[in-house]
Amino acid sequence: MTDNGERRPSPDALLEQAKAETRGRLKVYLGAAPGVGKTYEMLSDARKKRIEGIDISAGVIETHGRAETLALTEGLDIIPRLGAEMDLDALLARRPEIALVDELAHTNAEGARHPKRWMDVDELLAAGIDVWSTLNVQHIESLNDVVARITRVRVRETVPDAVLERADEIELIDLTPDELIERLRQGKVYAPDQAQRALRHYFAPGNLSALRELAMRRAADTIDGQVRGHRKAQGEDAPWAAGERLLVCVDEREASAGVVRHTKRLADRSKAPWMAVHVETARSARLSEVERIRLAETLRLAERLGAETATLPGDGVTETLLAYARDQNVTQIIVGKARRSALFEMVFGSVVRQLIDRSSSISIEVVPEPATAGAKTLFPLISAWPALTSRGVVEALTMTLLASLVAWPLDVWLGVSNLTLVYLAAVLISALTRGLWAGLITGLMSALAFNWFYTEPRYTFTIVDPDNVLALLAFSGAAIVVSALAGRARQQTLSARTEARTSRELFGLSRQLTSAMTEDEAAESLARYAGRAFDVECVVLARVGLNDLRLAGASAASLDLTDADMAAARWTAEKGEPTGRGADTLPGARWLFLPLRTARLVSGVVGVARATLLTPSERRRLVAMGDQAASAMERAHVSIALEQSRVETEAERLRGTMLASLSHDLRTPIAGILGAASSLRTYGDRHDPQTRDELLGAIESESARMQRYVEKLLDMTRLDAGSIQAHLELLEPGDVLSAVAKRARSLAGSHAIRLEIEPNLPMITADAALADQAVFNLVENALLHGQASPVTLAARRSGDTVLVEVLDEGPGLPPGEEARIFERFQRGSAAIPNGTGLGLAIVKGFVRLMQAEISAKNRPDGKGAVFSIVFPIQVEP
């Protein structure tokens, strides 16, 4: 609310309200458990609306065989289902004023437009149709784990919290545990056998009471959010006391802990939530180390007692505190009253008095400081005195001297009378560069210098003219005001620079973590950015197993942790609580260790060390950076685990495929060899010479075939092990193809092998043995799949390369399989019994070793496939 009392609605709230006006309204009947009567109540309300003339249609109603629920559907317009699911299009075309859609958390059958029923409801709302639906508390996403711990049953169908938060109306359908259990025993919820099992487990009285409390709290939270949104839309600053909400103001004084405990007692008596807030102003930068520690301990005390804590940056305590209180709908502020003199409050003002004067409808409770508290000084000069260093005093005197030197020629040569402006500029510069107290000292020295040099009688501190007295007083007052304003501006500038640097580091960290592929990369990013953001030494420790840690990242290479430091870090990882300097455990340690939490576990520990203690706001920012890094570390860990699992699965698949291939492809030649050898042993004398030659030839042929298979297995093993090295040399392409053709004719049978070599080809750079085997494997593959058609070996120049091609006239390659054909154990045709599925994979490996390229495609004329190897040539200088 503005000072003149005018209400100004929140633009964001008005925008949300405008969006809501174009959508339908959602009403949710929320229950603690099945059987409380959600559907029954929804249908009862629908019948009343129909009597009032409201157009209502039911998209889906689940009666679960309950007679009293089924009776309420009589006369209701129910849209026929599309298969097992709601006919969304029919309901949209029907366009009733209110649509009844039971069981909001339901998962639709495969093939439906949306996977979840709540998405169907969202489409109905977007079309401007009001929707009534039902929901049990165990289906709310954020409560899924809580309900699972209570009932030991995890529900798989959930609804995002945002769906419930967007509900315009929530009606809590409540039954006491005894009433619900009685309905269960009467068979009104489940069949008798199922009801008995449910009574022993899910529907135990203690479970029902806990679920009932969850439902009530969730409904209350949603309603509270709606109240806040309405207050913002109406421009209401004053809180609406629909429920008590307490806020305690925390500062660095010893008595502040007592105020926190007093607020805790008030909150317990009124059963109200409460918050502990500290306002950071320019004065916060001047707190001593002891005061910083005391403030941090007071905020941790509030957290342990159950309060929400926050640190609010602001120019003034009163304005910042009241603005936050109104935003959070606080009904009562508790503040401690320091024991200060009336003169102090007259000069510097009183936060308590300002809160009382400006609080409007918010109650203010003042807790006086105990009489045993330490005595206060008249003015808080001691806490600010560290700014008065010898260097600051020297600089103040220097600025005064410079101002006097600038004023002298203006007085002597130009006769300027108002020389106080020159000294005032010196005061302003001192305050902006060195702070408030440097400005005040410069102001004091300037007043004395102006009196000494430029007021009559000169070179004395005597003042004769009353006008000069007034001028000096005015100058002194202006110097004080200018120093205060400039000092405040300097503190705000320094704070803004710190915030900007922290924001810059947070943004940089988020970008780095997005691209982090391993835990160490995420840890190194966190250590580096946190070290720069807070001027600290930073280490990040990642988990190793369940009980150990390893150094994963550090802001500097020389950082080292002692055994005691590692023990403290392990305690943090085990307990999930801060340890070390500024924490409740081992507060005297040099390092502060904070857990890196994810939703599932503590993935590591971040440790920081510096001369001064981290402020509460710095600690919260460090926790925020740690949370980002923890998620990235967990993501990297899961990614590595998935990759390892994929590799192991692929290796297992390859082992299985290889064993199957061995059992098939080796069994055939072995069977032929055994048959021929057995025939020769048994009937050797009875066979004529031609038959014996044929049997020996079969043994020789099958042995060669088995040898080729074993050689391919050995080649593949050597490729995987990296033991094959390519010895590149200059080769004649024609010689390579001629040697392969000659070697392959023993396998060709009825196939014709043709050579088409372009004349005057340049030399290629390749390994002789690898090139020969690669082309031979391609020819062997063409002979297996070519269906007795000719096989052509061609070589021609293509730019700065030589293209070696093997063409067949077989069935060709299956569409889309051109790249997969080079994978292990991939066969182009299942009808070919003699293929091993390794030949082309070996070719690809050999070609890569020779820094060449291989590809496969179907021939343009559709008469088979063509395999191409592109060899680099020796370019003449």
Side-chain angles (χ1 to χ4, degrees):
M1 186 177 293
T2 59
D3 294 338
N4 60 5
E6 180 187 356
R7 295 179 179 178
R8 293 184 179 177
S10 166
D12 292 336
L14 288 177
L15 183 60
E16 290 296 325
Q17 197 174 62
K19 290 180 180 178
E21 289 176 356
T22 63
R23 291 172 57 88
R25 293 175 59 83
L26 174 62
K27 180 177 181 179
V28 176
Y29 292 83
L30 181 64
V36 297
K38 302 179 299 299
T39 305
Y40 185 91
E41 187 67 23
M42 180 176 69
L43 291 173
S44 299
D45 290 347
R47 290 176 71 90
K48 297 174 185 176
K49 288 291 184 182
R50 286 185 63 221
I51 295 173
E52 297 173 6
I54 303 298
D55 182 19
I56 297 179
S57 287
V60 59
I61 298 294
E62 303 288 356
T63 64
H64 298 289
R66 299 164 190 163
E68 64 273 19
T69 304
L70 184 61
L72 291 176
T73 62
E74 293 181 4
L76 185 65
D77 178 28
I78 301 178
I79 303 296
R81 297 195 187 193
L82 184 62
E85 301 300 338
M86 177 177 69
D87 192 342
L88 180 58
D89 290 326
L91 192 56
L92 287 168
R94 170 70 174 75
R95 198 171 181 81
E97 293 180 61
I98 298 176
L100 307 182
V101 182
D102 207 1
E103 295 189 357
L104 187 62
H106 172 76
T107 300
N108 290 331
E110 188 175 353
R113 183 186 306 176
H114 301 298
K116 297 287 187 179
R117 185 168 290 169
W118 64 263
M119 297 179 179
D120 296 336
V121 168
D122 193 60
E123 186 169 345
L124 291 171
L125 294 171
I129 301 173
D130 293 350
V131 178
W132 291 0
S133 189
T134 61
L135 182 69
N136 283 327
V137 71
Q138 68 263 30
H139 294 292
I140 300 174
E141 179 67 42
S142 63
L143 300 179
N144 188 255
D145 291 340
V146 179
V147 174
R149 286 195 296 268
I150 293 171
T151 63
R152 292 178 173 81
V153 176
R154 182 172 291 277
V155 178
R156 300 300 176 187
E157 294 180 327
T158 59
V159 172
D161 290 58
V163 175
L164 195 62
E165 290 167 1
R166 290 196 299 266
D168 299 278
E169 186 177 351
I170 293 178
E171 183 170 336
L172 182 63
I173 310 302
D174 186 38
L175 279 182
T176 65
D178 291 341
E179 290 175 320
L180 183 54
I181 291 172
E182 183 61 28
R183 283 176 52 83
L184 199 66
R185 287 172 177 163
Q186 293 174 0
K188 295 182 178 181
V189 180
Y190 296 133
D193 292 343
Q194 190 178 1
Q196 290 301 319
R197 290 195 301 271
L199 283 171
R200 291 193 299 268
H201 299 94
Y202 193 94
F203 282 79
N207 291 353
L208 294 177
S209 296
L211 293 174
R212 190 180 179 205
E213 181 182 0
L214 281 178
M216 291 178 178
R217 287 184 180 276
R218 191 63 182 84
D221 290 343
T222 303
I223 293 170
D224 183 67
Q226 293 172 348
V227 169
R228 291 191 199 180
H230 182 72
R231 288 177 58 245
K232 288 183 179 180
Q234 299 300 320
E236 282 284 355
D237 286 335
W240 291 356
E244 287 291 325
R245 194 184 298 269
L246 310 182
L247 183 147
V248 58
C249 187
V250 174
D251 59 22
E252 74 283 355
R253 294 178 298 115
E254 293 180 8
S256 190
V259 180
V260 168
R261 295 187 182 95
H262 175 79
T263 307
K264 166 62 175 173
R265 293 192 295 271
L266 289 178
D268 288 344
R269 284 198 294 269
S270 59
K271 305 296 182 184
W274 62 294
M275 294 165 282
V277 172
H278 170 67
V279 180
E280 274 191 348
T281 62
R283 176 178 171 276
S284 301
R286 301 193 297 271
L287 295 180
S288 66
E289 182 72 8
V290 173
E291 289 172 329
R292 291 176 186 272
I293 294 174
R294 189 185 300 134
L295 174 61
E297 289 176 348
T298 304
L299 287 173
R300 286 200 301 274
L301 171 64
E303 288 180 348
R304 288 198 303 271
L305 294 177
E308 298 179 22
T309 60
T311 299
L312 310 175
D315 295 334
V317 175
T318 305
E319 296 81 1
T320 305
L321 198 62
L322 287 175
Y324 183 78
R326 288 172 180 138
D327 183 67
Q328 297 296 317
N329 202 25
V330 169
T331 58
Q332 185 175 354
I333 296 177
I334 297 89
V335 61
K337 177 68 172 68
R339 296 175 63 246
R340 292 195 172 105
S341 65
L343 179 60
F344 178 91
E345 293 187 357
M346 184 184 301
V347 175
F348 294 99
S350 169
V351 171
V352 173
R353 176 61 58 188
Q354 292 172 0
L355 283 173
I356 294 173
D357 292 341
R358 304 177 189 177
S359 63
S360 183
S361 58
I362 302 177
S363 300
I364 307 294
E365 178 171 343
V366 180
V367 180
E369 190 174 59
T372 55
K376 298 291 180 180
T377 57
L378 181 62
F379 294 102
L381 297 178
I382 297 178
S383 62
W385 193 257
L388 298 177
T389 60
S390 57
R391 179 177 177 181
V393 173
V394 171
E395 289 183 0
L397 294 174
T398 302
M399 290 302 302
T400 304
L401 178 60
L402 290 175
S404 300
L405 293 176
V406 171
W408 182 78
L410 296 177
D411 177 57
V412 174
W413 296 339
L414 300 179
V416 176
S417 60
N418 194 6
L419 298 175
T420 54
L421 294 178
V422 177
Y423 287 101
L424 202 59
V427 173
L428 179 62
I429 294 173
S430 294
L432 286 175
T433 56
R434 299 302 298 175
L436 171 64
W437 295 104
L440 292 177
I441 293 175
T442 305
L444 175 63
M445 295 296 110
S446 297
L448 294 176
F450 179 74
N451 183 23
W452 179 268
F453 291 110
Y454 302 112
T455 61
E456 298 297 339
R458 299 195 178 198
Y459 311 117
T460 68
F461 290 112
T462 303
I463 303 176
V464 177
D465 190 350
D467 291 340
N468 290 336
V469 175
L470 182 60
L472 282 176
L473 290 177
F475 172 78
S476 300
I480 293 174
V481 172
V482 167
S483 297
L485 293 177
R488 183 175 179 180
R490 178 176 180 272
Q491 290 293 338
Q492 290 175 343
T493 302
L494 294 177
S495 299
R497 287 178 181 174
T498 302
E499 292 291 336
R501 184 180 64 176
T502 304
S503 300
R504 185 173 61 251
E505 299 299 342
L506 279 170
F507 178 71
L509 175 63
S510 63
R511 293 184 60 184
Q512 286 291 322
L513 293 178
T514 302
S515 59
M517 301 300 295
T518 65
E519 281 186 328
D520 287 358
E521 288 181 7
E524 285 287 352
S525 298
L526 174 60
R528 184 170 62 255
Y529 280 95
R532 290 203 300 256
F534 306 111
D535 291 326
V536 296
E537 297 176 347
C538 183
V539 294
V540 179
L541 306 170
R543 270 192 181 275
V544 178
L546 295 176
N547 302 315
D548 205 0
L549 297 170
R550 65 177 180 85
L551 183 62
S555 58
S558 60
L559 294 182
D560 194 15
L561 298 177
T562 65
D563 292 341
D565 295 333
M566 288 300 298
R570 291 189 187 96
W571 192 94
T572 296
E574 179 183 353
K575 303 296 184 182
E577 298 292 337
T579 308
R581 188 177 187 190
D584 295 331
T585 306
L586 302 177
R590 176 173 176 262
W591 290 86
L592 169 64
F593 294 104
L594 300 174
L596 298 177
R597 297 179 182 276
T598 64
R600 299 188 304 112
L601 46 79
V602 175
S603 61
V605 173
V606 58
V608 294
R610 74 177 185 189
T612 59
L613 195 68
L614 289 180
T615 65
S617 60
E618 286 177 330
R619 186 163 163 177
R620 269 191 294 277
R621 290 196 292 268
L622 177 60
V623 170
M625 296 174 75
D627 289 343
Q628 292 187 46
S631 299
M633 292 170 68
E634 183 182 38
R635 185 174 63 249
H637 181 76
V638 170
S639 177
I640 292 172
L642 288 175
E643 180 63 21
Q644 290 176 345
S645 176
R646 189 194 66 79
V647 170
E648 291 173 359
T649 302
E650 180 66 15
E652 189 63 31
R653 185 188 70 81
L654 290 176
R655 279 195 293 269
T657 305
M658 186 176 68
L659 289 174
S661 179
L662 281 171
S663 63
H664 177 272
D665 294 308
L666 288 182
R667 184 170 61 243
T668 302
I670 289 174
I673 294 171
L674 289 176
S678 176
S679 179
L680 285 173
R681 176 182 291 275
T682 305
Y683 307 106
D685 296 338
R686 303 178 189 178
H687 289 311
D688 55 63
Q690 182 179 355
T691 302
R692 284 199 299 271
D693 287 343
E694 290 176 354
L695 291 173
L696 290 173
I699 292 174
E700 184 178 11
S701 174
E702 294 298 331
S703 298
R705 176 181 165 190
M706 189 164 60
Q707 181 181 11
R708 290 195 301 273
Y709 186 82
V710 172
E711 286 176 350
K712 289 179 180 178
L713 286 175
L714 291 175
D715 286 342
M716 184 56 66
T717 303
R718 290 160 58 202
L719 279 172
D720 288 341
S723 59
I724 299 179
Q725 301 294 327
H727 302 285
L728 301 181
E729 55 183 325
L730 296 179
L731 300 176
E732 187 72 44
D735 294 344
V736 175
L737 297 189
S738 298
V740 170
K742 181 178 180 181
R743 178 182 167 195
R745 285 196 173 94
S746 62
L747 304 176
S750 60
H751 292 267
I753 298 180
R754 299 195 294 246
L755 290 174
E756 296 181 0
I757 302 174
E758 184 180 292
N760 302 321
L761 285 176
M763 305 281 277
I764 62 173
T765 304
D767 182 291
L770 296 182
D772 179 84
Q773 188 62 45
V775 178
F776 179 80
N777 284 0
L778 291 179
V779 173
E780 183 183 19
N781 179 76
L783 293 173
L784 286 173
H785 297 273
Q787 298 179 348
S789 62
V791 174
T792 302
L793 277 73
R796 57 187 174 86
R797 181 163 183 167
S798 177
D800 293 335
T801 62
V802 170
L803 188 65
V804 174
E805 296 178 324
V806 177
L807 303 92
D808 63 52
E809 297 181 7
L813 302 173
E817 297 293 319
E818 291 84 355
R820 293 187 68 246
I821 200 68
F822 292 102
E823 296 179 5
R824 302 179 192 182
F825 303 107
Q826 291 292 328
R827 305 192 187 195
S829 174
I832 304 300
N834 297 329
T836 63
L838 291 175
L840 295 181
I842 293 172
V843 173
K844 183 178 180 180
F846 286 174
V847 168
R848 284 184 173 178
L849 286 174
M850 293 184 291
Q851 301 175 10
E853 298 177 2
I854 187 169
S855 62
K857 63 181 180 180
N858 288 317
R859 296 174 60 170
D861 56 9
K863 296 181 179 179
V866 55
F867 291 82
S868 306
I869 302 178
V870 180
F871 285 103
I873 64 175
Q874 177 68 28
V875 181
E876 296 181 0

